[in-house]
Amino acid sequence: MTEEMPVILNDKYLADFVRKDELDGIAPCIMAAAEILEKKSGQGNDFLGWLDLPTIYPKTEEYARIKETALKIQKQCDVLIVIGIGGSYLGARAALEFLKTPQYNELKKETPNIYFVGNNISADHLTNIFSLCEGKEVCVNVISKSGTTTEPAIAFRIFKEYMENRYGKEEAVKRIYCTTDKAKGTLKSLADDLGYETFVVPDDVGGRFSVLTAVGLLPLAVAGVDLDALMNGALKAYEDAKESDLQKNHCYRYAAYRNILYRKGKTVEVSCSYEPCFAMMCEWIKQLYGESEGKDGKGIYPTSAIFSTDLHSLGQYIQDGSRILFETVYHIQKTHSDVVIQHIADNFDGLNFLAGKHLQEVNDNAFMGTMLSHVEGGVPNMVLELPDVSEATLGYLIYFLEKACAISGYLLGVNPFDQPGVEGYKKNMFALLGKPGYEDLAETLTKKLS
Amino acid sequence: MTEEMPVILNDKYLADFVRKDELDGIAPCIMAAAEILEKKSGQGNDFLGWLDLPTIYPKTEEYARIKETALKIQKQCDVLIVIGIGGSYLGARAALEFLKTPQYNELKKETPNIYFVGNNISADHLTNIFSLCEGKEVCVNVISKSGTTTEPAIAFRIFKEYMENRYGKEEAVKRIYCTTDKAKGTLKSLADDLGYETFVVPDDVGGRFSVLTAVGLLPLAVAGVDLDALMNGALKAYEDAKESDLQKNHCYRYAAYRNILYRKGKTVEVSCSYEPCFAMMCEWIKQLYGESEGKDGKGIYPTSAIFSTDLHSLGQYIQDGSRILFETVYHIQKTHSDVVIQHIADNFDGLNFLAGKHLQEVNDNAFMGTMLSHVEGGVPNMVLELPDVSEATLGYLIYFLEKACAISGYLLGVNPFDQPGVEGYKKNMFALLGKPGYEDLAETLTKKLS
């Protein structure tokens, strides 16, 4: 097993923006936030199950069963359809693309293709995925705490019918896996009635904190991800993040700096990386922080970029537009592959000064050059150093960011674990679609629309 | 050929945020901006070639040659590698995904796979693409005005060697197509020396405005896109956008509202759509507006979201976080596919109230419900109505957004056609990589980093 390497926060390039005594100034608040988190006495404290997952979960029967079931699914099918939205979608997809590249489906050899549905209401998307299932053996993993969230519920209704028509009811049951509430809800009832194998979305773990439960782990295991390495990475972060000296606690320091920058008017965070495999991780980060902090008229707006690609689109703005941004760079120190630039005799492109250099070295210099340039342009930059693209690093990073997010939320004075603002569109949508019980709202909305 | 349908700006849901007389108030500035644009007397007026492209370009020899060459490439290869960054990358990819779905490579039948490289410095990305070329016939379209932009230059150096090793020098020449300067530069010289077929990046069309030149059109034609329909759509927008009555000119009105909202402190625009095929169009939009407006310490920060996916990640923030956002919704009225939700006897999921409804209808109600909810939460919403996902609509939209962007930039008081801020990272990167001529800067930077 790989040694779990820590994620390090490099704050050297913040020096022009945040003085050391500002960090000292916020330290008591950070420690207060940490205390209510650890003592589980703060707001949203019935959703703190994620905090101890790395120590508890790998010892459970379910964890072992995930690994067994993944092997079974690998044998059963060529395509695994993962139905879920929000936290029941982003974590697994982000981890998959980080560990196995965004071209996983085109490049992988032994393991099934993995397609994500039920995270939108697009007929074209669903139709495309059905085309990709043609002639392939299919299994389904439907992930929904309640079973009633509209997007995955619609997708599951359609895929359940597809599976039953294609395989017959009995065989379909053997190919459908549910990750849902342990005891109640629409999906759990159905699973019990029909005999689907089930895994649990814990009561005390919110969607955006659930990637290290069956929610994320089952699809990842099917893709061949080493769950033990992932969980060990998270365990290392769990231990490191208990450090009470703020200077040594990179997780708390990240939370502290974010809050200091926000109070200085930096209202937008650009999470960025120089590797395309990090793009979906950025989406996961955006949910984690956006949903946890964006409430009560407050919060840093989470955005993302992949460089150097987006230096040629957003780069101009970051360098020289409104000074409302700060950047958090996820710097991957070692990628899977290595490409060396060759010397060529005619030097037609004038690039021989790069001959013998590894692409990683060029990329690293783009990163450092960009950071110095953006800092000079007035954009605070923090760097989270990731040693590699391994399971251990990812597990560490996930836990690190979850805990930093919780601290950030408490520091901001919000409940980091609720998301009341997500209900608005759902209610309106139900009313407009004529769901029984929403008649009054429907009338109000129809007037507004007419 | 399809009738070119216009893109309509629905501003009804702005009523709570912008009064009619505010639009009257800004009208004279809009007309002044339009006048310097049409008379080509404003800043950056040597980069206005895009303004008349729809009337001129389809009549050229090159346009005809693009179509012929695309047919040839379709016969030559299974994989077309498109090398380019920024405007030499985003337009073609965005249009491809919009018209042919994001799963183009997995779903298309006759036409070649299309992979984009040279838009980053990732060894893993390049290595993955080489894996995908194994056992496939390959052609290359390298797109670079100068031939010296680092990212595509490195990728081209590597792919040129690959093609020559694999096919021999003579055959490689027949499989490499260059889109570059008409007369000068590294890539043009090489093409002339070796005999590559070339297409032109016009002098007076900046990268982010170049999708309707050979830059975008050659890869799109290879993917089977109907160029005539695309250009006809753009021509219709060209004509419609000449309208001098602001109330009837949707393009100018979009620019006007953006500026009004910006002056009210809405510093972040969320461009969003309910169809995943629009995701890369959002990236193109982010470059177009970010690079054009983000300068001199000013500008709206361009971000994007795909709903309803991101309602379960960014939705909470948009509904209830810092009130710095406005949304521009790209509402696609008709998609390629149609899925109808079926009635089921046991109604296990309680969704029978949706039975008989088309997924598009559910999606549209999610859109309307979300808009009403976000507006109530204090987020101004504009809607750009797109009739369908056709070439005609896309051509119209591209021209519409380009012209609105130019007007927006002039209204903001910046040169919408330069991007001086992109140079900073390039210079630093060259210095750090030891490029001859950058020795002094290298010394300064090395000190900063040590």
Side-chain angles (χ1 to χ4, degrees):
Chain A
M1 198 176 305
T2 340
E3 172 76 7
E4 298 76 32
M5 295 285 287
V7 172
I8 299 285
L9 174 68
N10 176 355
D11 53 9
K12 180 177 165 185
Y13 302 97
L14 271 183
D16 292 349
F17 305 96
V18 182
R19 294 188 318 274
K20 180 169 178 316
D21 61 294
E22 292 181 77
L23 201 60
D24 296 339
I26 207 170
C29 293
I30 290 280
M31 291 309 155
E35 192 179 337
I36 58 171
L37 182 65
E38 296 288 353
K39 290 193 174 161
K40 306 194 176 183
S41 61
Q43 291 186 348
N45 58 1
D46 39 353
F47 283 98
L48 292 177
W50 58 272
L51 202 53
D52 301 312
L53 272 179
T55 60
I56 297 168
Y57 195 54
K59 297 168 189 158
T60 61
E61 168 276 338
E62 183 173 88
Y63 179 80
R65 192 159 52 87
I66 287 172
K67 293 198 249 180
E68 287 161 25
T69 308
L71 293 175
K72 187 171 141 199
I73 293 175
Q74 287 174 351
K75 284 182 194 133
Q76 269 182 313
C77 69
D78 315 303
V79 168
L80 175 67
I81 300 292
V82 179
I83 300 176
I85 195 166
S88 300
Y89 153 63
L90 276 173
R93 181 158 174 201
L96 177 69
E97 296 203 0
F98 178 78
L99 294 170
K100 303 285 180 187
T101 90
Q103 289 94 15
Y104 166 79
N105 284 328
E106 289 184 88
L107 288 170
K108 55 87 206 142
K109 302 223 157 61
E110 305 292 320
T111 52
N113 281 15
I114 296 184
Y115 297 117
F116 295 91
V117 306
N119 59 72
N120 58 47
I121 319 176
S122 165
D124 282 353
H125 179 69
L126 208 56
T127 305
N128 289 345
I129 301 303
F130 276 116
S131 299
L132 295 170
C133 291
E134 271 171 37
K136 304 277 172 64
E137 293 298 328
V138 178
C139 284
V140 172
N141 178 205
V142 53
I143 308 168
S144 178
K145 178 86 174 153
S146 65
T148 58
T149 304
T150 310
E151 292 87 343
I154 291 174
F156 182 58
R157 175 179 271 224
I158 293 169
F159 265 96
K160 177 173 177 285
E161 194 197 7
Y162 168 86
M163 295 295 281
E164 289 175 353
N165 287 343
R166 182 166 161 185
Y167 292 108
K169 288 204 172 189
E170 200 174 327
E171 174 67 15
V173 165
K174 295 180 191 161
R175 290 174 171 266
I176 293 174
Y177 300 86
C178 301
T179 308
T180 187
D181 192 88
K182 68 178 187 300
K184 61 183 194 304
T186 296
L187 188 56
K188 176 60 178 167
S189 302
L190 183 78
D192 288 348
D193 286 353
L194 299 184
Y196 298 145
E197 177 154 11
T198 60
F199 298 86
V200 173
V201 183
D203 287 332
D204 56 357
V205 180
R208 59 189 175 274
F209 289 85
S210 71
V211 57
L212 299 180
T213 71
V215 169
L217 297 183
L218 181 58
L220 289 174
V222 172
V225 167
D226 178 347
L227 300 193
D228 292 341
L230 188 70
M231 295 306 286
N232 274 322
L235 183 61
K236 179 83 165 69
Y238 166 89
E239 286 157 2
D240 290 353
K242 287 190 177 298
E243 167 66 50
S244 62
D245 179 350
L246 186 55
Q247 280 304 332
K248 291 183 191 159
N249 190 317
H250 297 260
C251 168
Y252 290 1
R253 230 161 66 247
Y254 175 56
Y257 282 128
R258 291 180 83 255
N259 196 270
I260 291 170
L261 292 170
Y262 175 65
R263 296 186 197 191
K264 287 175 192 258
K266 304 299 178 189
T267 47
V268 177
E269 178 174 25
V270 187
S271 297
C272 48
S273 170
Y274 287 72
E275 288 295 334
C277 71
F278 205 78
M280 285 305 297
M281 278 300 295
C282 285
E283 297 302 312
W284 178 80
I285 290 166
K286 282 152 75 172
Q287 181 190 7
L288 183 63
Y289 282 82
E291 240 174 33
S292 300
E293 293 191 319
K295 48 195 73 161
D296 309 334
K298 293 186 281 192
I300 297 165
Y301 188 63
T303 72
S304 63
I306 293 299
F307 295 152
S308 66
T309 307
D310 293 336
L311 292 174
H312 292 252
S313 65
L314 299 172
Q316 166 65 39
Y317 189 108
I318 296 171
Q319 185 68 48
D320 198 27
S322 303
R323 303 295 70 186
I324 55 176
L325 310 175
F326 70 95
E327 288 174 290
T328 301
V329 187
Y330 293 82
H331 176 233
I332 297 168
Q333 294 170 344
K334 190 173 179 319
T335 56
H336 290 295
S337 323
D338 191 21
V339 175
V340 179
I341 298 171
Q342 302 298 320
H343 184 274
I344 50 175
D346 63 359
N347 194 24
F348 73 90
D349 51 10
L351 287 182
N352 269 353
F353 74 97
L354 296 176
K357 286 194 162 47
H358 297 249
L359 217 48
Q360 172 97 48
E361 188 182 347
V362 181
N363 211 8
D364 281 350
N365 281 300
F367 149 58
M368 285 185 289
T370 301
M371 188 169 53
L372 293 176
S373 184
H374 288 180
V375 164
E376 199 171 311
V379 181
N381 262 252
M382 284 185 277
V383 185
L384 285 166
E385 294 284 353
L386 312 185
D388 54 31
V389 285
S390 70
E391 281 93 343
T393 295
L394 180 65
Y396 195 107
L397 180 64
I398 286 169
Y399 191 87
F400 178 104
L401 289 172
E402 286 177 350
K403 191 161 186 190
C405 180
I407 300 285
S408 287
Y410 281 145
L411 210 53
L412 189 66
V414 300
N415 176 349
F417 306 109
D418 67 357
Q419 55 284 331
V422 182
E423 298 309 310
Y425 101 89
K426 292 186 189 173
K427 269 189 245 167
N428 285 358
M429 176 174 69
F430 288 146
L432 293 171
L433 286 168
K435 186 170 180 175
Y438 290 81
E439 292 77 6
D440 290 353
L441 182 56
E443 206 183 316
T444 313
L445 296 180
T446 311
K447 266 184 208 152
K448 282 192 190 174
L449 287 167
S450 67
Chain B
M1 198 177 307
T2 342
E3 173 76 9
E4 299 76 30
M5 295 287 287
V7 172
I8 300 285
L9 173 69
N10 177 355
D11 53 11
K12 181 177 167 185
Y13 302 96
L14 271 184
D16 291 350
F17 305 96
V18 181
R19 295 188 318 275
K20 182 174 174 317
D21 61 295
E22 291 182 77
L23 201 59
D24 296 340
I26 207 171
C29 292
I30 290 282
M31 290 310 155
E35 193 179 335
I36 58 170
L37 182 64
E38 296 288 351
K39 290 191 174 163
K40 306 194 175 183
S41 60
Q43 290 185 349
N45 59 2
D46 40 353
F47 282 97
L48 292 177
W50 58 271
L51 203 53
D52 301 313
L53 272 179
T55 60
I56 295 168
Y57 195 55
K59 295 168 189 159
T60 61
E61 170 274 340
E62 183 174 86
Y63 179 79
R65 192 159 53 88
I66 287 172
K67 294 199 246 178
E68 288 160 25
T69 308
L71 294 175
K72 190 172 136 196
I73 293 173
Q74 286 174 352
K75 284 182 195 133
Q76 270 181 311
C77 69
D78 315 304
V79 168
L80 176 66
I81 299 292
V82 178
I83 300 176
I85 195 166
S88 299
Y89 154 64
L90 277 172
R93 179 157 174 201
L96 177 70
E97 296 202 1
F98 179 78
L99 294 169
K100 303 286 179 185
T101 90
Q103 289 94 13
Y104 166 79
N105 284 328
E106 288 184 89
L107 288 169
K108 55 87 207 147
K109 300 225 158 60
E110 306 292 320
T111 52
N113 281 15
I114 296 184
Y115 298 118
F116 295 90
V117 304
N119 59 71
N120 58 46
I121 319 177
S122 164
D124 283 352
H125 179 68
L126 208 56
T127 304
N128 289 345
I129 301 303
F130 276 115
S131 298
L132 295 170
C133 289
E134 271 171 36
K136 304 278 172 66
E137 294 297 328
V138 178
C139 284
V140 171
N141 178 203
V142 52
I143 308 168
S144 177
K145 178 84 173 155
S146 64
T148 58
T149 303
T150 311
E151 292 86 343
I154 290 174
F156 182 57
R157 174 179 271 224
I158 293 169
F159 265 97
K160 177 173 176 286
E161 194 197 8
Y162 169 85
M163 295 295 280
E164 289 175 354
N165 288 343
R166 180 164 163 186
Y167 290 110
K169 289 204 172 188
E170 202 175 327
E171 176 65 16
V173 165
K174 295 180 190 159
R175 290 172 171 268
I176 293 174
Y177 301 86
C178 301
T179 308
T180 186
D181 191 87
K182 70 176 185 303
K184 59 182 196 302
T186 296
L187 188 55
K188 176 61 178 166
S189 301
L190 183 78
D192 287 348
D193 285 354
L194 299 182
Y196 298 145
E197 178 155 9
T198 62
F199 298 87
V200 173
V201 183
D203 289 330
D204 56 356
V205 180
R208 59 189 176 273
F209 290 86
S210 71
V211 57
L212 299 180
T213 71
V215 169
L217 297 183
L218 181 58
L220 289 173
V222 172
V225 167
D226 180 345
L227 299 193
D228 291 342
L230 187 70
M231 295 305 287
N232 275 321
L235 183 62
K236 179 83 163 73
Y238 166 89
E239 286 158 1
D240 289 354
K242 286 188 176 300
E243 168 65 51
S244 62
D245 180 349
L246 186 55
Q247 281 303 332
K248 291 182 190 158
N249 190 319
H250 297 259
C251 168
Y252 290 2
R253 232 161 65 248
Y254 174 56
Y257 282 127
R258 290 180 84 256
N259 196 269
I260 291 169
L261 293 169
Y262 175 65
R263 296 186 196 191
K264 287 175 193 254
K266 303 299 179 191
T267 46
V268 177
E269 178 174 24
V270 187
S271 296
C272 48
S273 170
Y274 287 73
E275 289 295 335
C277 71
F278 205 78
M280 283 304 299
M281 277 301 294
C282 286
E283 297 301 311
W284 178 80
I285 290 165
K286 281 152 75 172
Q287 180 189 9
L288 184 62
Y289 282 82
E291 240 174 34
S292 300
E293 292 191 321
K295 50 195 72 161
D296 309 334
K298 295 186 280 192
I300 297 164
Y301 189 63
T303 73
S304 62
I306 293 299
F307 295 153
S308 62
T309 307
D310 293 336
L311 292 174
H312 292 252
S313 65
L314 299 171
Q316 166 65 38
Y317 190 107
I318 297 172
Q319 186 68 47
D320 199 25
S322 304
R323 303 295 72 187
I324 55 174
L325 310 175
F326 70 94
E327 287 174 290
T328 301
V329 188
Y330 292 83
H331 176 233
I332 297 169
Q333 296 171 343
K334 190 174 179 318
T335 56
H336 290 295
S337 323
D338 192 21
V339 174
V340 178
I341 298 170
Q342 303 298 321
H343 184 274
I344 50 176
D346 64 0
N347 194 25
F348 73 90
D349 51 11
L351 288 182
N352 269 351
F353 75 96
L354 297 176
K357 285 194 165 42
H358 298 251
L359 216 48
Q360 171 97 49
E361 188 182 347
V362 181
N363 211 8
D364 281 350
N365 281 300
F367 148 59
M368 284 186 290
T370 302
M371 188 167 55
L372 292 174
S373 183
H374 288 181
V375 163
E376 200 171 309
V379 181
N381 262 251
M382 286 186 275
V383 185
L384 285 167
E385 294 283 354
L386 312 185
D388 54 31
V389 284
S390 70
E391 280 94 342
T393 294
L394 180 64
Y396 195 105
L397 179 65
I398 286 169
Y399 191 88
F400 178 104
L401 289 172
E402 287 177 348
K403 193 163 184 188
C405 180
I407 301 285
S408 287
Y410 281 145
L411 210 53
L412 189 65
V414 300
N415 176 351
F417 306 110
D418 67 358
Q419 53 283 331
V422 181
E423 298 310 309
Y425 100 88
K426 292 186 191 174
K427 267 189 248 167
N428 285 359
M429 176 173 67
F430 288 146
L432 293 171
L433 286 167
K435 187 172 181 177
Y438 289 82
E439 291 77 7
D440 290 354
L441 182 56
E443 206 183 315
T444 313
L445 297 180
T446 310
K447 266 184 209 154
K448 282 192 189 173
L449 288 166
S450 68

